[in-house]
Amino acid sequence: PHEVEIAGRRHVVTAWTGPWPARERWWDPARARRRARFQVVTGDDLAHLLVFEGGHWHVEAGYA
């Protein structure tokens, strides 16, 4: 990825890693979920853990 938008602000991506796909709660069909995580580092030297699930992206965590 070249850019990400976090909290309404665009950030240039300087490094990234992933994806890390996961099948969670596979033993319980009613609660099962599939998601993929990526980590990106932005131009302000902050790292963000991004998650793609159900066709949507969200930020799961941020690191200074």
Side-chain angles (χ1 to χ4, degrees):
H2 173 69
E3 289 182 329
V4 294
E5 185 174 319
I6 300 172
R9 249 182 90 208
R10 289 187 179 263
H11 300 271
V12 173
V13 173
T14 58
W16 65 278
T17 187
W20 298 295
R23 287 183 57 213
E24 298 174 351
R25 299 183 189 109
W26 53 267
W27 62 90
D28 183 355
R31 296 176 59 208
R33 59 200 277 191
R34 290 174 37 147
R35 50 195 349 209
R37 291 180 175 92
F38 294 78
Q39 184 171 336
V40 299
V41 177
T42 53
D44 53 5
D45 289 328
L46 297 177
H48 306 275
L49 185 61
L50 308 178
V51 177
F52 185 72
E53 179 178 21
H56 301 282
W57 288 94
H58 68 271
V59 178
E60 189 166 82
Y63 309 95

Coordinates of all heavy atoms in Angstrom, one line a residue:
P1 N 0.8 -1.2 0.0 CA 0.0 0.0 0.0 C 0.9 1.3 0.0 O 1.9 1.3 0.6 CB -0.8 -0.1 1.3 CG 0.0 -1.0 2.2 CD 0.7 -2.0 1.2
H2 N 0.4 2.3 -0.7 CA 1.1 3.5 -0.8 C 0.7 4.5 0.3 O 1.5 5.2 0.9 CB 0.9 4.2 -2.1 CG 1.4 5.5 -2.3 ND1 2.8 5.8 -2.3 CD2 0.9 6.7 -2.4 CE1 3.0 7.1 -2.5 NE2 1.8 7.7 -2.5
E3 N -0.6 4.5 0.6 CA -1.2 5.4 1.7 C -2.2 4.7 2.4 O -2.9 3.8 2.0 CB -1.8 6.7 1.0 CG -0.9 7.7 0.4 CD -1.7 8.8 -0.1 OE1 -2.9 8.7 -0.5 OE2 -1.2 9.9 -0.1
V4 N -2.5 5.2 3.7 CA -3.6 4.7 4.5 C -4.3 6.0 5.1 O -3.6 7.0 5.3 CB -3.1 3.8 5.6 CG1 -2.6 2.5 5.1 CG2 -2.1 4.4 6.6
E5 N -5.5 5.8 5.3 CA -6.3 6.9 6.0 C -6.7 6.4 7.4 O -7.4 5.4 7.5 CB -7.5 7.3 5.2 CG -8.2 8.5 5.8 CD -9.4 8.9 4.9 OE1 -9.2 9.0 3.7 OE2 -10.4 9.3 5.5
I6 N -6.2 7.1 8.4 CA -6.5 6.8 9.8 C -7.0 8.0 10.5 O -6.4 9.0 10.5 CB -5.2 6.3 10.5 CG1 -4.6 5.0 9.8 CG2 -5.5 6.0 11.9 CD1 -3.3 4.6 10.2
A7 N -8.2 7.8 11.1 CA -8.9 8.9 11.8 C -9.0 10.1 10.9 O -8.8 11.3 11.3 CB -8.2 9.2 13.1
G8 N -9.4 9.9 9.6 CA -9.6 11.0 8.7 C -8.4 11.7 8.1 O -8.5 12.6 7.4
R9 N -7.2 11.2 8.5 CA -5.9 11.8 8.0 C -5.2 10.8 7.1 O -5.1 9.6 7.4 CB -5.0 12.1 9.2 CG -4.8 13.6 9.4 CD -3.9 13.9 10.5 NE -2.5 13.9 10.0 CZ -1.5 13.6 10.8 NH1 -1.6 13.2 12.0 NH2 -0.3 13.7 10.2
R10 N -4.7 11.2 6.0 CA -3.9 10.4 5.1 C -2.4 10.3 5.5 O -1.9 11.3 5.9 CB -4.0 10.9 3.7 CG -5.3 10.6 3.0 CD -5.2 11.0 1.6 NE -6.5 10.8 1.0 CZ -6.8 9.7 0.3 NH1 -6.0 8.7 0.1 NH2 -8.1 9.5 -0.2
H11 N -1.9 9.1 5.5 CA -0.5 8.9 5.9 C 0.2 8.1 4.8 O -0.3 7.2 4.2 CB -0.4 8.1 7.2 CG -1.0 8.7 8.3 ND1 -0.4 9.6 9.2 CD2 -2.3 8.6 8.8 CE1 -1.2 9.9 10.1 NE2 -2.4 9.4 9.9
V12 N 1.4 8.5 4.4 CA 2.3 7.8 3.5 C 2.8 6.5 4.2 O 3.3 6.6 5.3 CB 3.4 8.6 3.0 CG1 4.4 7.8 2.1 CG2 2.9 9.8 2.2
V13 N 2.7 5.4 3.6 CA 3.3 4.1 4.1 C 4.7 4.0 3.7 O 5.1 4.1 2.5 CB 2.4 2.9 3.6 CG1 3.1 1.6 4.0 CG2 1.0 3.0 4.1
T14 N 5.6 3.9 4.7 CA 7.0 3.7 4.4 C 7.5 2.3 4.5 O 8.6 2.0 4.0 CB 7.8 4.6 5.4 OG1 7.5 4.2 6.8 CG2 7.5 6.1 5.2
A15 N 6.7 1.4 5.2 CA 7.1 0.0 5.3 C 5.8 -0.8 5.6 O 4.9 -0.2 6.2 CB 8.2 -0.2 6.3
W16 N 5.8 -2.0 5.2 CA 4.6 -2.9 5.6 C 5.0 -4.3 5.6 O 6.0 -4.7 5.0 CB 3.4 -2.6 4.7 CG 3.7 -3.0 3.2 CD1 4.3 -2.3 2.3 CD2 3.3 -4.3 2.6 NE1 4.3 -3.0 1.1 CE2 3.7 -4.2 1.3 CE3 2.6 -5.4 3.1 CZ2 3.5 -5.3 0.4 CZ3 2.4 -6.4 2.2 CH2 2.8 -6.4 0.9
T17 N 4.2 -5.1 6.3 CA 4.5 -6.6 6.3 C 3.1 -7.3 6.5 O 2.2 -6.7 6.9 CB 5.4 -7.0 7.4 OG1 5.7 -8.4 7.3 CG2 4.9 -6.7 8.8
G18 N 3.1 -8.5 6.1 CA 1.8 -9.3 6.1 C 1.5 -9.7 4.7 O 2.3 -9.6 3.8
P19 N 0.4 -10.3 4.5 CA -0.7 -10.5 5.4 C -0.5 -11.7 6.3 O 0.2 -12.6 6.0 CB -1.9 -10.7 4.5 CG -1.3 -11.4 3.3 CD 0.1 -10.8 3.1
W20 N -1.2 -11.7 7.4 CA -1.3 -12.8 8.3 C -2.8 -13.2 8.4 O -3.6 -12.7 9.1 CB -0.8 -12.4 9.7 CG 0.6 -12.0 9.7 CD1 1.7 -12.8 9.4 CD2 1.1 -10.7 10.0 NE1 2.9 -12.1 9.5 CE2 2.5 -10.8 9.9 CE3 0.6 -9.5 10.4 CZ2 3.4 -9.7 10.1 CZ3 1.4 -8.5 10.6 CH2 2.8 -8.5 10.5
P21 N -3.2 -14.2 7.6 CA -4.6 -14.6 7.6 C -4.9 -15.5 8.8 O -4.0 -16.2 9.3 CB -4.7 -15.4 6.3 CG -3.3 -15.9 6.0 CD -2.4 -14.9 6.5
A22 N -6.1 -15.4 9.3 CA -6.5 -16.1 10.5 C -7.9 -16.6 10.3 O -8.8 -15.8 9.9 CB -6.3 -15.3 11.7
R23 N -8.2 -17.8 10.7 CA -9.5 -18.4 10.8 C -9.8 -18.5 12.3 O -9.2 -19.4 13.0 CB -9.7 -19.7 10.1 CG -9.7 -19.6 8.6 CD -9.9 -20.9 8.0 NE -11.1 -21.5 8.4 CZ -11.3 -22.9 8.6 NH1 -10.4 -23.7 8.2 NH2 -12.5 -23.3 9.0
E24 N -10.6 -17.7 12.9 CA -10.8 -17.7 14.3 C -12.2 -18.4 14.6 O -13.1 -18.3 13.9 CB -10.9 -16.3 14.8 CG -9.6 -15.5 14.6 CD -9.6 -14.1 15.0 OE1 -10.7 -13.5 15.3 OE2 -8.5 -13.4 15.0
R25 N -12.2 -19.1 15.7 CA -13.4 -19.8 16.2 C -13.9 -20.8 15.2 O -15.1 -20.9 15.0 CB -14.4 -18.9 16.7 CG -14.0 -18.0 17.8 CD -15.2 -17.1 18.3 NE -14.8 -16.1 19.2 CZ -14.7 -14.8 18.9 NH1 -15.0 -14.4 17.8 NH2 -14.3 -14.0 19.8
W26 N -13.0 -21.4 14.4 CA -13.4 -22.3 13.3 C -14.3 -23.5 13.9 O -15.1 -24.0 13.1 CB -12.2 -22.9 12.6 CG -11.2 -23.5 13.5 CD1 -10.1 -22.9 14.0 CD2 -11.2 -24.8 14.0 NE1 -9.4 -23.7 14.8 CE2 -10.1 -25.0 14.8 CE3 -12.0 -25.9 13.8 CZ2 -9.7 -26.1 15.4 CZ3 -11.7 -27.1 14.4 CH2 -10.5 -27.2 15.2
W27 N -14.2 -23.8 15.1 CA -14.9 -24.9 15.7 C -16.4 -24.5 16.0 O -17.2 -25.4 16.3 CB -14.3 -25.4 17.0 CG -14.2 -24.3 18.0 CD1 -15.1 -24.0 19.0 CD2 -13.2 -23.3 18.2 NE1 -14.8 -23.0 19.7 CE2 -13.6 -22.5 19.3 CE3 -12.0 -23.1 17.6 CZ2 -12.8 -21.4 19.7 CZ3 -11.2 -22.0 18.0 CH2 -11.6 -21.2 19.1
D28 N -16.7 -23.2 15.9 CA -18.1 -22.8 16.3 C -18.6 -22.0 15.1 O -18.4 -20.8 14.9 CB -18.0 -21.9 17.5 CG -19.4 -21.3 17.9 OD1 -20.4 -21.6 17.3 OD2 -19.4 -20.7 19.0
P29 N -19.4 -22.6 14.2 CA -19.8 -22.0 12.9 C -20.6 -20.7 13.1 O -20.5 -19.8 12.3 CB -20.7 -23.0 12.3 CG -20.2 -24.3 12.8 CD -19.8 -24.0 14.2
A30 N -21.3 -20.6 14.2 CA -22.1 -19.3 14.5 C -21.2 -18.2 14.8 O -21.6 -17.0 14.6 CB -23.1 -19.6 15.6
R31 N -20.0 -18.4 15.4 CA -19.1 -17.3 15.8 C -17.8 -17.3 15.0 O -16.9 -16.5 15.2 CB -18.8 -17.5 17.2 CG -20.0 -17.3 18.1 CD -19.7 -17.6 19.6 NE -18.7 -16.6 20.1 CZ -17.9 -16.9 21.1 NH1 -18.0 -18.0 21.7 NH2 -17.1 -16.0 21.5
A32 N -17.7 -18.2 14.0 CA -16.4 -18.3 13.2 C -16.2 -17.0 12.4 O -17.2 -16.3 12.0 CB -16.5 -19.4 12.2
R33 N -15.0 -16.6 12.1 CA -14.6 -15.4 11.4 C -13.3 -15.6 10.7 O -12.4 -16.3 11.2 CB -14.7 -14.2 12.2 CG -13.7 -14.2 13.4 CD -14.1 -13.2 14.4 NE -13.6 -11.9 14.2 CZ -13.6 -10.9 15.1 NH1 -14.1 -11.1 16.3 NH2 -13.2 -9.7 14.8
R34 N -13.1 -15.0 9.5 CA -11.9 -14.9 8.8 C -11.4 -13.5 8.7 O -12.2 -12.6 8.4 CB -12.1 -15.5 7.4 CG -12.3 -17.0 7.4 CD -12.6 -17.5 6.1 NE -11.9 -16.9 5.0 CZ -11.4 -17.4 3.9 NH1 -11.7 -18.7 3.7 NH2 -10.8 -16.7 3.1
R35 N -10.1 -13.3 8.9 CA -9.6 -11.9 8.8 C -8.1 -12.0 8.4 O -7.5 -13.1 8.6 CB -9.8 -11.2 10.1 CG -9.3 -11.9 11.3 CD -9.7 -11.5 12.7 NE -10.4 -10.2 12.8 CZ -10.3 -9.4 13.8 NH1 -9.6 -9.8 14.9 NH2 -10.9 -8.2 13.9
A36 N -7.6 -10.9 8.0 CA -6.2 -10.8 7.6 C -5.6 -9.6 8.3 O -6.3 -8.5 8.2 CB -6.0 -10.8 6.1
R37 N -4.5 -9.7 8.9 CA -3.8 -8.5 9.5 C -2.6 -8.1 8.7 O -1.9 -9.0 8.1 CB -3.4 -8.9 10.9 CG -4.6 -9.1 11.9 CD -4.1 -9.4 13.3 NE -5.2 -9.5 14.2 CZ -5.9 -10.6 14.5 NH1 -5.5 -11.7 13.9 NH2 -6.8 -10.6 15.4
F38 N -2.3 -6.8 8.7 CA -1.1 -6.2 8.1 C -0.6 -5.2 9.1 O -1.3 -4.6 9.8 CB -1.5 -5.5 6.8 CG -2.0 -6.3 5.7 CD1 -3.3 -6.7 5.7 CD2 -1.2 -6.6 4.6 CE1 -3.8 -7.5 4.6 CE2 -1.7 -7.4 3.6 CZ -3.0 -7.8 3.6
Q39 N 0.7 -5.1 9.1 CA 1.3 -4.0 9.9 C 1.9 -3.0 8.9 O 2.6 -3.4 8.0 CB 2.4 -4.5 10.8 CG 2.9 -3.4 11.7 CD 3.8 -3.9 12.8 OE1 3.7 -5.0 13.2 NE2 4.7 -3.0 13.3
V40 N 1.6 -1.7 9.1 CA 2.2 -0.7 8.3 C 3.0 0.3 9.2 O 2.6 0.5 10.3 CB 1.2 0.1 7.4 CG1 0.5 -0.9 6.5 CG2 0.2 0.8 8.3
V41 N 4.0 0.9 8.6 CA 4.7 2.0 9.3 C 4.5 3.2 8.4 O 4.6 3.2 7.2 CB 6.2 1.7 9.5 CG1 6.9 2.9 10.1 CG2 6.4 0.5 10.3
T42 N 4.1 4.3 9.0 CA 3.8 5.5 8.3 C 4.9 6.6 8.4 O 5.8 6.4 9.2 CB 2.4 6.1 8.8 OG1 2.5 6.3 10.2 CG2 1.3 5.2 8.4
G43 N 4.8 7.6 7.6 CA 5.8 8.6 7.5 C 6.1 9.3 8.8 O 7.2 9.9 9.0
D44 N 5.2 9.3 9.8 CA 5.5 9.8 11.1 C 6.1 8.8 12.1 O 6.1 9.1 13.3 CB 4.2 10.4 11.7 CG 3.0 9.4 11.7 OD1 3.3 8.2 11.4 OD2 1.9 9.8 12.1
D45 N 6.6 7.7 11.5 CA 7.3 6.7 12.3 C 6.4 6.0 13.3 O 6.9 5.5 14.3 CB 8.6 7.2 13.0 CG 9.7 7.5 12.0 OD1 9.7 6.8 10.9 OD2 10.5 8.4 12.2
L46 N 5.1 5.9 13.0 CA 4.2 5.2 13.9 C 3.8 3.9 13.1 O 3.8 3.8 11.9 CB 2.9 6.0 14.2 CG 3.1 7.2 15.0 CD1 1.8 8.0 15.1 CD2 3.8 6.9 16.3
A47 N 3.6 2.8 13.9 CA 3.2 1.5 13.3 C 1.7 1.3 13.6 O 1.2 1.7 14.7 CB 4.0 0.4 13.9
H48 N 1.0 0.7 12.7 CA -0.4 0.4 12.9 C -0.7 -1.0 12.4 O -0.2 -1.5 11.4 CB -1.2 1.4 12.0 CG -0.9 2.8 12.2 ND1 -1.5 3.6 13.2 CD2 0.0 3.6 11.6 CE1 -1.0 4.8 13.2 NE2 -0.1 4.9 12.2
L49 N -1.5 -1.7 13.2 CA -2.0 -3.0 12.8 C -3.3 -2.9 12.2 O -4.3 -2.4 12.8 CB -2.1 -3.9 14.1 CG -2.4 -5.4 13.8 CD1 -1.3 -6.0 12.9 CD2 -2.6 -6.1 15.1
L50 N -3.4 -3.2 10.9 CA -4.6 -3.1 10.1 C -5.3 -4.4 9.9 O -4.5 -5.4 9.8 CB -4.3 -2.5 8.7 CG -3.5 -1.2 8.7 CD1 -3.3 -0.7 7.3 CD2 -4.3 -0.1 9.5
V51 N -6.6 -4.5 9.9 CA -7.3 -5.7 9.8 C -8.3 -5.6 8.6 O -9.0 -4.6 8.5 CB -8.1 -6.1 11.1 CG1 -8.9 -7.4 10.9 CG2 -7.1 -6.2 12.2
F52 N -8.3 -6.6 7.8 CA -9.3 -6.7 6.7 C -10.2 -7.9 7.0 O -9.8 -9.0 7.2 CB -8.6 -7.0 5.4 CG -9.6 -7.0 4.2 CD1 -10.1 -5.8 3.8 CD2 -9.9 -8.1 3.6 CE1 -11.0 -5.7 2.7 CE2 -10.8 -8.1 2.5 CZ -11.3 -6.9 2.1
E53 N -11.5 -7.5 7.2 CA -12.5 -8.5 7.6 C -13.9 -8.2 7.0 O -14.3 -7.0 7.1 CB -12.6 -8.6 9.1 CG -13.6 -9.6 9.6 CD -13.7 -9.7 11.1 OE1 -13.3 -8.8 11.8 OE2 -14.2 -10.7 11.6
G54 N -14.5 -9.1 6.4 CA -15.9 -8.9 5.8 C -15.9 -7.8 4.8 O -16.9 -7.1 4.7
G55 N -14.8 -7.6 4.0 CA -14.8 -6.6 3.0 C -14.5 -5.2 3.4 O -14.5 -4.3 2.7
H56 N -14.1 -5.1 4.7 CA -13.8 -3.8 5.3 C -12.4 -3.7 6.0 O -12.0 -4.8 6.6 CB -14.9 -3.3 6.3 CG -16.2 -3.3 5.6 ND1 -16.7 -2.3 4.9 CD2 -17.3 -4.2 5.7 CE1 -17.9 -2.5 4.4 NE2 -18.3 -3.7 4.9
W57 N -11.8 -2.6 6.0 CA -10.6 -2.4 6.8 C -10.8 -1.6 8.1 O -11.7 -0.8 8.1 CB -9.6 -1.5 5.9 CG -9.0 -2.2 4.8 CD1 -9.5 -2.2 3.5 CD2 -7.9 -3.0 4.7 NE1 -8.7 -2.9 2.7 CE2 -7.7 -3.4 3.4 CE3 -6.9 -3.4 5.7 CZ2 -6.6 -4.2 3.0 CZ3 -5.9 -4.2 5.3 CH2 -5.7 -4.6 4.0
H58 N -10.1 -1.9 9.1 CA -10.1 -1.1 10.3 C -8.7 -1.2 11.0 O -7.9 -2.1 10.7 CB -11.2 -1.4 11.3 CG -11.1 -2.8 11.9 ND1 -11.6 -3.9 11.3 CD2 -10.6 -3.2 13.1 CE1 -11.4 -5.0 12.1 NE2 -10.8 -4.5 13.2
V59 N -8.5 -0.2 11.8 CA -7.2 -0.2 12.6 C -7.5 -0.9 13.9 O -8.3 -0.6 14.7 CB -6.7 1.3 12.9 CG1 -5.5 1.3 13.7 CG2 -6.6 2.0 11.6
E60 N -6.7 -1.9 14.2 CA -6.8 -2.7 15.4 C -5.9 -2.2 16.5 O -6.3 -2.2 17.7 CB -6.5 -4.2 15.2 CG -6.8 -5.1 16.3 CD -6.8 -6.5 15.9 OE1 -5.7 -7.1 15.9 OE2 -7.9 -7.1 15.6
A61 N -4.8 -1.6 16.1 CA -3.9 -1.1 17.2 C -2.9 -0.1 16.5 O -2.7 -0.1 15.3 CB -3.1 -2.3 17.8
G62 N -2.3 0.7 17.4 CA -1.3 1.7 16.9 C -0.1 1.6 17.9 O -0.3 1.3 19.1
Y63 N 1.1 1.8 17.4 CA 2.3 1.7 18.2 C 3.2 2.9 18.0 O 3.4 3.3 16.8 CB 3.1 0.4 17.9 CG 2.2 -0.8 17.9 CD1 1.6 -1.3 16.7 CD2 2.0 -1.5 19.1 CE1 0.9 -2.5 16.7 CE2 1.2 -2.7 19.1 CZ 0.7 -3.1 17.9 OH -0.1 -4.2 17.9
A64 N 3.7 3.4 19.0 CA 4.6 4.6 18.9 C 6.1 4.1 18.9 O 6.4 3.0 19.3 CB 4.5 5.5 20.0

